[in-house]
Amino acid sequence: MITIKNAAQIEKMKAAGKLLGRIRDAVRDAVRPGITTLELDKMAEEMIREAGAIPSFKGYHGFPSTLCTSVDKVVVHGFPNDVPLKEGQLLSIDTGLILNGWQADSAVSVIVGGKGSEIAEKLLRVTEECFYEGLKKAREGNRVGDIGHAVQVHAEKNGFGVIRALCGHGIGREMHEDPDVPNYGEPGRGPRLKRGMTICIEPMISAGHWSVHTLADGWGVVTDDGSICSHHEHTICITDDAPEILTLGGN
Ligand code: MG
Ligand code: MG
């Protein structure tokens, strides 16, 4: 069931989103060669709890951590670990929280040390652009397929693959609500977007093929061909005008 949020509920989601944006950016800015993803995870959990919020990933269907930290060929759901990050690796950080009963969910990808291969840097840029291409279509009266189509066209025209096994989603009191928001699709298809819908748009883009498999830990999702992957996600709100990003970050 798709839930429509009223103005007061959206204000609460904005507060959750603002907090998450700030913490996501602080974690992103702490990434450097030599730091471990477990250290980043601890930092995120402390910041979330100090703000009076709850890390929503931790314990979700048994997930062990506050962050999903996915390196290079890992698309999503990587477990934080004690392996020091190395210069040039592509790290995706996905995290979520609950503040006063309302959820926010966001992911960002970075190159450890700031400088990576030409393909890694292009992948990072194109994945973020894919998010904004999808966002442009997140308008009242459009359909979910308009978002996915826009993401897919931009990724594929840059020679990249759109992960199909995972998708964006509605969000509200629950982290994963209807509708599914795939990163591929046909324009004019799927549920119609309405003012007051809050959704996560989250392109997961591979430098190679889109096919993936799950690791033996039951969580980590990796590309079959070993290609590096990038992930960019925000929680957004459909309005009667331009969509609003709730997890923007900054101040
Ligand atoms: Mg999500
Ligand atoms: Mg997420």
Side-chain angles (χ1 to χ4, degrees):
M1 190 185 73
I2 295 172
T3 60
I4 302 292
K5 285 77 178 181
N6 65 32
Q9 292 170 329
I10 286 167
E11 283 308 309
K12 289 181 179 161
M13 289 195 66
K14 281 184 186 174
K18 189 173 178 186
L19 176 63
L20 184 67
R22 180 168 67 77
I23 293 169
R24 177 207 59 222
D25 286 354
V27 172
R28 178 200 63 196
D29 293 347
V31 173
R32 63 177 190 277
I35 199 167
T36 71
T37 47
L38 264 181
E39 289 174 280
L40 297 173
D41 188 68
K42 185 165 179 282
M43 172 184 171
E45 181 170 0
E46 283 174 3
M47 287 186 78
I48 290 171
R49 293 198 191 281
E50 272 168 23
I54 300 164
S56 54
F57 289 15
K58 197 163 187 167
Y60 183 83
H61 296 287
F63 191 79
S65 312
T66 296
L67 304 180
C68 295
T69 51
S70 307
V71 177
D72 289 338
K73 69 178 181 181
V74 185
V75 184
V76 286
H77 304 163
F79 290 173
N81 61 33
D82 59 4
V83 180
L85 290 169
K86 292 197 209 77
E87 190 142 8
Q89 287 180 317
L90 199 162
L91 170 68
S92 299
I93 301 162
D94 190 0
T95 189
L97 59 75
I98 308 164
L99 181 67
N100 298 322
W102 294 90
Q103 300 261 356
D105 181 9
S106 178
V108 69
S109 296
V110 290
I111 293 171
V112 179
K115 182 122 189 74
S117 66
E118 199 176 315
I119 195 78
E121 291 184 7
K122 181 182 175 190
L123 181 65
L124 214 69
R125 174 176 58 76
V126 169
T127 304
E128 186 170 352
E129 288 168 0
C130 282
F131 167 81
Y132 284 98
E133 289 300 312
L135 182 71
K136 279 186 208 163
K137 302 292 181 185
R139 285 188 169 253
E140 183 160 50
N142 281 357
R143 292 183 183 268
V144 165
D146 296 316
I147 297 175
H149 185 71
V151 170
Q152 181 179 9
V153 164
H154 191 67
E156 292 180 352
K157 92 174 175 207
N158 281 282
F160 294 145
V162 171
I163 305 301
R164 280 141 168 82
L166 299 142
C167 61
H169 48 92
I171 183 168
R173 286 199 177 275
E174 302 296 329
M175 177 158 54
H176 293 127
E177 298 185 352
D178 290 333
D180 283 347
V181 183
N183 294 303
Y184 61 94
E186 298 294 326
R189 298 283 181 90
R192 200 175 285 283
L193 300 171
K194 294 197 181 86
R195 174 172 34 163
M197 280 173 66
T198 44
I199 60 174
C200 291
I201 299 176
E202 50 177 312
M204 288 156 268
I205 308 296
S206 155
H209 197 266
W210 50 263
S211 62
V212 295
H213 62 277
T214 304
L215 293 173
D217 65 19
W219 280 98
V221 175
V222 301
T223 52
D224 288 342
D225 64 6
S227 303
I228 56 170
C229 239
S230 184
H231 185 195
H232 195 86
E233 175 183 25
H234 284 291
T235 300
I236 71 133
C237 179
I238 311 293
T239 74
D240 54 6
D241 192 16
E244 189 169 355
I245 300 176
L246 305 186
T247 46
L248 205 50
N251 298 312

